[in-house]
Amino acid sequence: MSEPPQPCITTRGLNLWYADFQALFDVNLDITRGLITSLIGPSGCGKTTLLRCFNRVNERYGYVTTTGEIRILGKNIYDPDVALVELRKSVGMVFQRPNPLPISVYENVVFGLRIHHPPGTFTRAELDEAVEKALIEVGLWKDLRDRLDRKATSLQLEQQQKLCIARLLPLKPDVILMDEPCSALDVEGTRAIEELMFALKGHYTILVVTHNMAQARRASDECIFMLLGKLIEHSRTEDLFLNPKNPKTAEYIEGRYG
Amino acid sequence: MFAETPFVRSKRRSEAFAKWLFFAMSAAMVLPLLLIVGYLFVKAAPSLNINFLLDVPRRGMTQGGIWPAFVGTVYLVFISLAISAPVGILAAVYLNEYARDNWLNRMINLAVINLAGVPSIVHALFGLGAFVYAARLGYSILSASLTLAIMTLPVIIASTREALASVPMSFREACWNVGATRWQTIRAVVLPNSISGILTGVILQVSRAAGETAPIMFTGAVFFKAVQKGEVFAYHLNEQCMALSMHLYTISTQVPGVKESIPFATAVVLLASVLLVNAAAITLRALMRSRKKW
Ligand SMILES: Nc1ncnc2c1ncn2[C@@H]1O[C@H](COP(=O)(O)OP(=O)(O)OP(=O)(O)O)[C@@H](O)[C@H]1O
Ligand SMILES: [Mg+2]
């Protein structure tokens, strides 16, 4: 209570170019640890781009240039001693379309453990335990405990998405990035994922992109509004929706409701 | 109401005409194939038996069987693919999974595409210069196989890349985002899901390697080689060998007085082996495809 909340992700003067098209302009951001922060804004404003900066996936395109600073838990992720592989281990990503690997449920969950440790590091029992723990955490254990050898791609979409979240957990990530995690799901599925986000809150810092204003309002503690690559407003969700400080924010949320 | 106007009628007629025309053209494709196969079989019938396959040519190749040529072709095909498949697959993995879009990789791509278009007689000449003389391998199975390998390589690269590209990008992203390296991604996800396509592509090259005459004629195939009847390890890598395609050419055009059914039977053996291998490839692909689902 007395301690001020600790920022988990900080950016200072972050600019990003796709070749000569600038997609992010001078973004300064402090994302509070352990909270759910939602990222809203019209299509093409750079939400996905910003999200992908945090685990440095953007670099895969050879033509991306980034300037400025991104710190995660105080560490500048562009420092030369940062190993990409370790960074991605602690900053997990969930996609718009669930993308479980075409292997069994069990193997999906332990995939991260397997690739980050030499073969034979874990006993079968340890792996079993990791699977059980992760699936309990995302609420799939009851449904899938007897079907762990089923192919993950044959599950329902909602289960697939939960499995994609479960896949991150054995690696004990600090941050979970979600890019419109519910847009492929129906109302039921959306609610299930939102509940899951609540359950995970506190243990992980969650950053979620959404086009669904109501979802941002329901499911997040803080909210960031972006427009044309710039960060317009960042405040507690209630404040942003009830008393937007910036007229552009007001326009956007009213436009969407009106 | 809803009655046919003259315009609609004329449209319907041209529609029917077009459909028949297209059907006739596709049927015309099947006919020659059936005719060729049927004609071959009828002409070959007097000589077609297991002894023809296992026996050696006799009486100056005018009688007897084709065993040395058959074994030679098996050697050439097998060795050439054993060389070109690993090289081609690894190259394709690099091009598809690692290569960024820069001038060097564009050059490599261009080279692969152009290599696929080089006529086989040019490959033959290249093989003669490069392997027989420059590399001092002489006229030998090794030279001929290397030449065939160079010839099949670009096609194997292309078909492997196609198989790799058919693995959805989202699988790779899933791996990268839990921190898998590219190699881990390739081994865990990309190869297991494309291996059937890759193998099919390789196996389909058997027919090309088995059918070509010029490249092996320049580098390692001979008219005649004495071999024991039914002997499997008939050749050494550094000797020349007989081959079905070359043998067919020889007995059809160079040797007088060959029993009429023998060239046809030789062609049937060549065709049947190739078709058998292709059928195996197709079965393999169907089997593996039915097991994967996404
Ligand atoms: N790989 C890329 N190469 C070039 N330009 C890109 C690339 N990805 C995104 N952009 C551009 O960058 C801008 C921001 O894109 P981004 O995908 O981050 O927007 P977004 O807010 O996530 O949009 P949406 O809500 O539609 O998902 C867009 O103008 C887009 O055209
Ligand atoms: Mg987006």
Side-chain angles (χ1 to χ4, degrees):
Chain A
M1 277 286 148
S2 54
E3 264 181 69
Q6 195 186 350
C8 177
I9 305 178
T10 0
T11 71
R12 290 290 173 264
L14 177 65
N15 291 290
L16 183 142
W17 289 262
Y18 289 111
D20 49 10
F21 170 78
Q22 188 165 6
L24 293 178
F25 295 83
D26 192 31
V27 175
N28 296 301
L29 195 68
D30 292 281
I31 289 173
T32 316
R33 189 165 190 188
L35 294 188
I36 302 175
T37 304
S38 60
L39 203 50
I40 59 171
S43 203
C45 69
K47 306 182 292 294
T48 301
T49 305
L50 180 61
L51 212 57
R52 292 166 78 101
C53 284
F54 298 142
N55 67 355
R56 292 180 56 184
V57 205
N58 279 327
E59 288 168 33
R60 265 215 337 273
Y61 308 109
Y63 54 93
V64 169
T65 331
T66 318
T67 64
E69 191 181 87
I70 304 175
R71 287 180 179 279
I72 292 183
L73 296 173
K75 178 74 184 166
N76 186 348
I77 61 172
Y78 285 99
D79 275 353
D81 62 337
V82 168
L84 267 191
V85 164
E86 291 297 313
L87 171 68
R88 291 187 186 152
K89 194 166 130 185
S90 92
V91 182
M93 177 97 123
V94 176
F95 294 81
Q96 199 162 346
R97 279 210 66 81
N99 61 350
L101 296 171
I103 46 184
S104 70
V105 171
Y106 187 97
E107 285 300 321
N108 261 282
V109 180
V110 297
F111 185 78
L113 289 179
R114 287 208 199 279
I115 60 169
H116 284 286
H117 299 91
T121 308
F122 298 102
T123 61
R124 185 74 192 185
E126 284 169 323
L127 292 178
D128 288 346
E129 196 190 316
V131 171
E132 178 171 347
K133 191 152 165 272
L135 290 183
I136 288 176
E137 224 173 330
V138 300
L140 278 179
W141 181 247
K142 269 219 307 281
D143 292 339
L144 296 184
R145 60 184 305 171
D146 302 318
R147 291 181 290 167
L148 293 177
D149 52 354
R150 241 180 88 175
K151 216 163 193 194
T153 37
S154 68
L155 300 176
Q156 297 158 11
L157 276 184
E158 175 196 327
Q159 293 178 321
Q160 289 190 12
Q161 194 63 300
K162 285 179 172 173
L163 182 63
C164 290
I165 298 172
R167 182 169 60 195
L168 306 174
L169 304 182
L171 294 175
K172 307 201 168 36
D174 299 299
V175 182
I176 299 181
L177 308 170
M178 302 187 177
D179 195 351
E180 304 184 37
C182 301
S183 64
L185 306 180
D186 60 7
V187 182
E188 282 295 304
T190 304
R191 205 178 46 218
I193 297 292
E194 283 173 17
E195 276 166 12
L196 174 54
M197 283 160 53
F198 277 121
L200 296 176
K201 175 179 148 179
H203 306 286
Y204 310 97
T205 305
I206 298 176
L207 191 56
V208 52
V209 171
T210 175
H211 267 132
N212 180 333
M213 216 69 65
Q215 181 176 57
R217 215 169 164 170
R218 275 197 303 269
S220 67
D221 304 300
E222 296 192 354
C223 188
I224 296 170
F225 173 61
M226 288 180 69
L227 192 62
L228 295 172
K230 298 194 179 72
L231 189 148
I232 304 292
E233 190 162 347
H234 176 188
S235 56
R236 290 179 48 214
T237 304
E238 311 145 41
D239 295 344
L240 189 128
F241 279 94
L242 295 177
N243 306 304
K245 286 192 215 64
N246 194 305
K248 286 180 195 152
T249 316
E251 234 169 74
Y252 180 70
I253 54 187
E254 275 158 23
R256 279 303 177 100
Y257 281 132
Chain B
M1 260 251 275
F2 305 136
E4 202 174 56
T5 65
F7 178 57
V8 169
R9 192 172 311 134
S10 82
K11 271 203 303 188
R12 196 162 51 84
R13 285 208 187 116
S14 47
E15 171 67 26
F17 174 74
K19 186 176 139 196
W20 277 105
L21 182 70
F22 295 138
F23 171 76
M25 289 304 143
S26 53
M29 297 290 302
V30 181
L31 206 63
L33 179 72
L34 289 180
L35 283 178
I36 290 173
V37 174
Y39 180 73
L40 279 182
F41 264 94
V42 170
K43 287 286 207 179
S47 290
L48 272 185
N49 54 47
I50 188 69
N51 205 40
F52 176 72
L53 183 66
L54 293 180
D55 200 5
V56 297
R58 295 180 192 280
R59 294 179 191 262
M61 304 210 277
T62 57
Q63 284 174 32
I66 51 163
W67 181 253
F70 181 75
V71 176
T73 292
V74 172
Y75 269 60
L76 290 174
V77 167
F78 193 81
I79 296 170
S80 69
L81 288 183
I83 296 164
S84 61
V87 176
I89 292 171
L90 295 184
V93 167
Y94 172 76
L95 290 174
N96 209 58
E97 304 295 319
Y98 288 92
R100 299 212 165 173
D101 189 25
N102 58 31
W103 70 267
L104 179 66
N105 292 316
R106 275 199 292 265
M107 285 280 291
I108 296 178
N109 255 325
L110 208 65
V112 170
I113 293 169
N114 282 306
L115 203 57
V118 172
S120 62
I121 188 78
V122 178
H123 279 297
L125 210 59
F126 170 77
L128 180 68
F131 302 124
V132 177
Y133 293 127
R136 293 169 189 273
L137 294 172
Y139 293 96
S140 64
I141 293 188
L142 206 54
S143 294
S145 300
L146 282 165
T147 310
L148 287 177
I150 299 275
M151 196 188 74
T152 49
L153 196 57
V155 188
I156 288 180
I157 292 179
S159 65
T160 304
R161 286 189 70 173
E162 206 174 298
L164 293 173
S166 74
V167 176
M169 205 57 195
S170 65
F171 292 165
R172 297 186 181 88
E173 281 181 339
C175 290
W176 293 335
N177 275 285
V178 287
T181 60
R182 281 185 191 251
W183 170 232
Q184 284 176 320
T185 306
I186 291 166
R187 212 183 39 193
V189 175
V190 179
L191 284 183
N193 286 292
S194 54
I195 191 72
S196 62
I198 294 174
L199 287 183
T200 314
V202 171
I203 295 175
L204 289 179
Q205 284 309 298
V206 167
S207 47
R208 268 189 82 218
E212 285 296 346
T213 319
I216 56 173
M217 207 155 131
F218 277 45
T219 52
V222 276
F223 289 128
F224 184 78
K225 187 100 190 173
V227 160
Q228 292 295 307
K229 177 176 174 177
E231 189 185 5
V232 177
F233 301 102
Y235 300 110
H236 288 293
L237 288 189
N238 56 3
E239 336 180 285
Q240 290 172 286
C241 68
M242 291 178 70
L244 282 178
S245 54
M246 170 106 167
H247 184 63
L248 184 56
Y249 165 77
T250 313
I251 56 177
S252 310
T253 61
Q254 310 288 307
V255 184
V258 179
K259 194 174 150 199
E260 200 208 0
S261 62
I262 285 185
F264 288 100
T266 308
V268 166
V269 170
L270 182 58
L271 192 66
S273 344
V274 164
L275 288 184
L276 215 65
V277 171
N278 286 1
I282 291 165
T283 316
L284 177 79
R285 182 164 51 181
L287 268 181
M288 291 181 118
R289 190 177 283 163
S290 68
R291 279 202 293 130
K292 80 180 173 195
K293 205 178 353 167
W294 56 65

